[in-house]
Amino acid sequence: MKNLILAYARGHHRIKAMKNALETLGQPVTVVTENFDNIEGPFDRIWTLSESLLPVQAQLELKWGINNLSVSAAETLTDKKKFDDFCIKIGLGELVPKSVIPTKEEDLFDGNIIVKPTVGSGTKLNGFTYTSYYNKQDMLDNAPHDFFDINKTGFKDPNFNNVLGYYMVQEVLPEYSELYAPYYYIDGDGEPHYIFCVKLFMKRTNYGNAKFMVHPIWIESVPFEEIPTEVSQYFDTFVEYVGDALGVKNMFLSGPDYYFYDGIVKMIDCNPRIGQGLQIMDKIHDYKLLPSIISGNMIKIEKHFIWANTELKAGKIKDIADHSHLKKHFTEPSHELYSGKEILDQSNCSDNIFQHCLVVSGKEKPDVHEAYRAIRKELQDCIEYD
């Protein structure tokens, strides 16, 4: 089985995890991170690790006679608004938040809103997109002067394969929601397989009086029985509906994120690829989980994890004691701690201004929580501030 991985070089963590899983199964792997128009094949299977490259996968599958992803399915999964509209069309409309691609002011609605590009992902702190606003006027005050004109024709971002996208305005779901995100795999026969679920705890960061961002600061795996049935009842149904209607096979799904509030369930952000939570779960199971899923013999998940901000006290480090024995718990993107380093308040688990996170795992949830607190305290006690 010859495998092709399509990804951007910036997604090297995903590449490493997927490549390792396939090579563990004794399967050859080729990774392509640029010049996607000049790929020579054929290959037997394609794994795409960024949504905006799904159209490339679909065209290559047509060329090589693979039947895992159609052109229309790729278009739907690449574009957030098309995916929302698709979910409404197939009978999942009750789960879809209100959204619009506005081309005039009258298209906007009242209430807290967030702006997202329909294609792509990422967070630019204190920017325009992936930012929430208290009302439509606050959004317009921060929008590009030609915002509506841009949305009439769309725009292309070279960082996301120049796929045509638009600005989507979506209602902001309540911050007091319980938030759950399942991981699934749709196998070569189109059958969905539940892997595990995480619960996310969020933090609001305000930027002046007009805008704010809400991001996860604590993510933990949870047993299925701890998920409210009002939420979990949608898990299989959603994946079965989407999988059957789109006809996708050999695809991982990260999410969607299910928001549960006031007896209501809504969902956002279904990512058709492996996510960081699955990479962490694979790692704490000695890198045996991903290969077992792909081979159709998924191992039993024996451990839980917490992935969370270290919550270090802000300030400039004067001195730091040896903490090398703790580094095995640091996430790979965590910033190095050293004398002279400025520790800042961290807004989320993927903060690119200052980021320091722990991943702690174990068989019993209470033990994992206790271990997180102990490791965090030990690291904090290593630091002396100016």
Side-chain angles (χ1 to χ4, degrees):
M1 179 71 69
K2 291 176 60 180
N3 294 274
L4 172 65
I5 292 177
L6 299 177
Y8 300 115
R10 59 182 180 266
H12 56 93
H13 303 302
R14 294 179 207 153
I15 295 170
K16 180 181 177 181
M18 200 71 203
K19 187 171 183 289
N20 176 72
L22 293 166
E23 290 179 342
T24 297
L25 294 171
Q27 299 182 15
V29 183
T30 298
V31 178
V32 175
T33 60
E34 58 185 356
N35 299 322
F36 300 107
D37 294 331
N38 300 311
I39 299 174
E40 295 184 5
F43 290 86
D44 302 306
R45 188 179 291 169
I46 305 172
W47 306 92
T48 298
L49 305 186
S50 180
E51 298 90 312
S52 56
L53 294 174
L54 289 172
V56 177
Q57 175 180 343
Q59 291 297 330
L60 291 174
E61 290 202 358
L62 272 178
K63 181 179 178 181
W64 297 332
I66 309 173
N67 190 32
N68 290 333
L69 179 71
S70 68
V71 172
S72 60
E75 290 176 353
T76 299
L77 290 168
T78 300
D79 187 291
K80 298 179 186 68
K81 186 67 170 95
K82 287 181 180 178
F83 185 77
D84 281 358
D85 292 344
F86 165 79
C87 288
I88 293 169
K89 182 179 178 181
I90 64 173
L92 297 173
E94 65 182 297
L95 295 174
V96 179
K98 185 191 309 182
S99 67
V100 66
I101 296 176
T103 56
K104 56 185 183 301
E105 186 171 346
E106 292 73 22
D107 293 337
L108 298 170
F109 46 84
D110 294 323
N112 289 359
I113 54 178
I114 183 170
V115 180
K116 301 177 179 179
T118 58
V119 176
S121 59
T123 298
K124 182 179 180 182
L125 296 179
N126 203 20
F128 173 60
T129 58
Y130 295 107
T131 300
S132 297
Y133 301 88
Y134 293 104
N135 54 59
K136 58 187 178 183
Q137 189 57 54
D138 286 341
M139 189 276 286
L140 290 172
D141 289 344
N142 286 274
H145 70 279
D146 53 352
F147 172 74
F148 294 118
D149 290 334
I150 292 173
N151 254 5
K152 290 175 183 176
T153 58
F155 59 90
K156 295 181 178 181
D157 187 339
N159 288 318
F160 296 102
N161 197 35
N162 286 312
V163 177
L164 185 66
Y166 301 84
Y167 290 118
M168 177 175 79
V169 174
Q170 186 180 67
E171 67 172 310
V172 172
L173 299 174
E175 289 176 51
Y176 59 83
S177 304
E178 290 186 56
L179 183 52
Y180 298 89
Y183 291 83
Y184 271 82
Y185 179 63
I186 300 176
D187 67 21
D189 295 320
E191 294 295 321
H193 300 272
Y194 173 81
I195 306 172
F196 73 102
C197 183
V198 295
K199 185 174 184 179
L200 301 92
F201 298 84
M202 313 297 279
K203 176 183 177 181
R204 170 196 281 251
T205 304
N206 294 312
Y207 295 94
N209 297 319
K211 54 187 178 177
F212 61 95
M213 303 180 84
V214 180
H215 290 299
I217 58 166
W218 180 291
I219 302 167
E220 66 179 38
S221 59
V222 290
F224 189 83
E225 58 270 18
E226 290 188 12
I227 305 166
T229 54
E230 295 93 334
V231 177
S232 62
Q233 66 177 334
Y234 288 107
F235 285 5
D236 284 348
T237 301
F238 172 82
V239 179
E240 288 167 1
Y241 272 43
V242 171
D244 289 346
L246 291 178
V248 296
K249 297 189 287 289
N250 292 313
M251 179 177 284
F252 286 92
L253 295 178
S254 301
D257 297 343
Y258 287 88
Y259 285 70
F260 181 45
Y261 60 96
D262 302 333
I264 297 168
V265 179
K266 295 290 183 181
M267 61 91 183
I268 62 170
D269 298 341
C270 180
N271 300 308
R273 52 168 172 77
I274 61 171
Q276 183 133 4
L278 181 53
Q279 294 168 55
I280 291 171
M281 191 64 87
D282 182 48
K283 181 178 180 179
I284 66 175
H285 286 83
D286 302 318
Y287 301 102
K288 294 177 181 178
L289 179 60
L290 269 174
S292 74
I293 295 169
I294 295 168
S295 66
N297 299 291
M298 188 172 78
I299 63 172
K300 183 180 179 181
I301 290 178
E302 302 277 1
K303 297 180 180 179
H304 296 285
F305 70 78
I306 290 172
W307 165 27
N309 290 7
T310 314
E311 297 182 343
L312 296 171
K313 176 185 171 184
K316 188 175 182 180
I317 298 175
K318 179 180 180 181
D319 193 19
I320 183 166
D322 177 50
H323 58 286
S324 55
H325 60 293
L326 300 177
K327 289 187 176 182
K328 62 184 179 182
H329 301 291
F330 299 175
T331 57
E332 217 170 313
S334 289
H335 293 182
E336 192 73 22
L337 302 175
Y338 52 86
S339 298
K341 175 72 175 180
E342 188 79 26
I343 297 176
L344 306 174
D345 288 327
Q346 187 170 335
S347 67
N348 63 85
C349 286
S350 300
D351 195 328
N352 57 4
I353 297 177
F354 176 78
Q355 180 179 161
H356 202 282
C357 294
L358 299 177
V359 172
V360 183
S361 63
K363 288 195 173 184
E364 302 296 333
K365 273 188 65 179
D367 295 339
V368 179
H369 280 253
E370 184 178 341
Y372 168 83
R373 290 191 293 269
I375 294 165
R376 181 200 166 277
K377 182 180 185 304
E378 185 176 355
L379 178 61
Q380 182 67 78
D381 289 347
C382 287
I383 301 172
E384 181 184 350
Y385 294 84
D386 274 343

